Amino acid sequence: MLTGPARALFMDEISTGLDSSSTFQIVKYVSQLVHVMNDTVMISLLQPPPETYNLFDDIILLSEGYMVYHGPRGNILEFFESAGFRCPERKGVADFLQEVTSKKDQQQYWYLDQEQYRYVPVLEFAEHYKSFHVGQQMLEELKIPFEKSKTHPAALTTSKYGQSSWESFKAVMSREQLLMKRNSFIYIFKVSQLIILGLMAMTVFLRTEMPHGQISDGAKFFGALTFSLITILFNGFAELQLTIKILPTFYKQRDFLFSPPWTFGLANIILKVPVSFVEAGVWVVLTYYVMGFAPSAGRFFRQFLAFFATH
């Protein structure tokens, strides 16, 4: 996750399922990465322990859709004290920040004895932040126009897709090859099934039992061709379920501009052509001469091409 040239990382709830010690070690490593590599990392955490909280340089406190505070960690308690709320000495700062904006728990942190407590809503905290010196400094920094000359070339996209069509095609091709390897059992089973059905068909339409020379004899050959055609046709339907299962992924990647849609279709055509070639070849080689079809190479290859196109 932390490899590559990315200069900004955004991590959401990285402590889920981890104990406090593991969370501390991860955040400590990220903190060292930020200071050494001069990167920017934003991490969202719920109720981090004090030792983890103290590793952060800046704090962004969000509540009810408003930004209550954004600035150095050392000034956040000062901000709430200026609003009339103080964190007790033995209270974890992270827990205090979660409770001070809550209507249920806010009153216990009110420390202005000479003034009567009143509930301070989140919106009022957000407005108070604008008058706080940290908020004013933030607004002053935002008023300074950004120099476009400092923009990194990779910061703005100049094309519809993140990589060239050729690179996208190679990536999709590699993925489809991997999926075919994972589903290799299906293709092995299909070929084995064709061999078994071919042996059965040869016993039914054996050439010694297939008289020819009369028009009426053509019905048996027509039946053999029909059976072969249906077998090849339905043998190819086995991949239809696999195609339907990956359609949601295809539509998602298409909508998010992962790669041009044609790369998916072209990659599947290129990879499935050899499969169709092998399966049609297995059937024709096994059954053509045994069933008593015309012993002509031209007719043999024409039947092979017909079954190949059908598959």
Side-chain angles (χ1 to χ4, degrees):
M1 181 176 64
L2 299 181
T3 60
R7 309 300 297 178
L9 299 173
F10 301 90
M11 305 179 182
D12 182 31
E13 293 296 334
I14 62 173
S15 61
T16 302
L18 300 178
D19 56 81
S20 58
S21 176
S22 300
T23 303
F24 173 77
Q25 294 296 332
I26 293 174
V27 176
K28 182 180 179 181
Y29 169 75
V30 173
S31 176
Q32 294 173 350
L33 175 71
V34 168
H35 294 149
V36 173
M37 304 298 294
N38 195 27
D39 291 342
T40 300
V41 178
M42 179 180 289
I43 303 177
S44 65
L45 293 176
L46 289 176
Q47 294 181 321
E51 60 273 12
T52 302
Y53 170 83
N54 292 331
L55 292 174
F56 288 89
D57 299 319
D58 296 306
I59 302 296
I60 300 177
L61 180 61
L62 304 176
S63 181
E64 299 180 10
Y66 294 96
M67 186 180 71
V68 178
Y69 178 86
H70 178 200
R73 173 174 51 84
N75 296 112
I76 192 167
L77 294 181
E78 177 189 354
F79 165 72
F80 281 103
E81 287 185 7
S82 66
F85 300 92
R86 177 177 293 170
C87 178
E89 293 183 0
R90 297 186 178 182
K91 183 73 174 181
V93 179
D95 295 332
F96 164 75
L97 296 178
Q98 284 193 313
E99 296 175 359
V100 72
T101 57
S102 171
K103 188 175 183 179
K104 179 181 178 181
D105 303 316
Q106 187 184 86
Q107 185 175 0
Q108 61 181 313
Y109 301 115
W110 182 261
Y111 79 99
L112 299 178
D113 298 332
Q114 66 276 16
E115 298 182 17
Q116 185 179 1
Y117 165 76
R118 67 176 183 83
Y119 170 66
V120 180
V122 174
L123 181 58
E124 189 170 334
F125 277 124
E127 292 297 328
H128 178 64
Y129 171 74
K130 296 179 181 179
S131 61
F132 189 61
H133 66 88
V134 175
Q136 291 180 345
Q137 182 181 356
M138 180 73 67
L139 291 175
E140 291 298 325
E141 292 178 359
L142 293 176
K143 289 180 181 179
I144 301 175
F146 178 72
E147 295 184 20
K148 295 184 179 180
S149 59
K150 296 182 179 180
T151 302
H152 192 276
L156 297 176
T157 180
T158 56
S159 60
K160 184 176 181 180
Y161 299 100
Q163 53 187 357
S164 65
S165 298
W166 175 244
E167 293 297 328
S168 298
F169 173 71
K170 289 196 298 183
V172 174
M173 190 78 169
S174 177
R175 183 191 65 188
E176 295 302 318
Q177 283 181 326
L178 179 61
L179 291 176
M180 287 189 67
K181 289 180 181 178
R182 291 178 178 177
N183 298 322
S184 58
F185 171 78
I186 296 177
Y187 299 102
I188 296 174
F189 177 80
K190 287 171 59 181
V191 174
S192 303
Q193 180 179 254
L194 273 181
I195 294 174
I196 295 173
L197 290 175
L199 294 175
M200 295 173 61
M202 287 188 294
T203 61
V204 175
F205 301 101
L206 191 61
R207 64 183 302 159
T208 57
E209 304 295 332
M210 300 280 285
H212 57 276
Q214 302 293 330
I215 296 178
S216 58
D217 298 332
K220 294 183 179 180
F221 289 96
F222 183 77
L225 285 173
T226 303
F227 177 78
S228 300
L229 187 64
I230 292 176
T231 301
I232 292 294
L233 180 64
F234 281 93
N235 191 66
F237 280 179
E239 297 181 34
L240 186 61
Q241 183 180 4
L242 299 177
T243 304
I244 293 175
K245 287 180 65 176
I246 64 175
L247 281 180
T249 303
F250 165 72
Y251 290 137
K252 181 178 180 180
Q253 294 181 354
R254 180 200 63 183
D255 295 340
F256 284 99
L257 303 179
F258 276 37
S259 59
W262 63 264
T263 58
F264 175 79
L266 183 59
N268 274 275
I269 291 174
I270 293 176
L271 291 175
K272 298 302 170 59
V273 163
V275 176
S276 300
F277 187 89
V278 170
E279 293 183 4
V282 167
W283 181 267
V284 174
V285 168
L286 284 176
T287 63
Y288 185 83
Y289 288 106
V290 178
M291 288 183 177
F293 291 113
S296 169
R299 293 178 179 272
F300 173 86
F301 285 110
R302 280 199 291 270
Q303 186 182 105
F304 167 75
L305 290 176
F307 288 168
F308 170 73
T310 302
H311 188 277

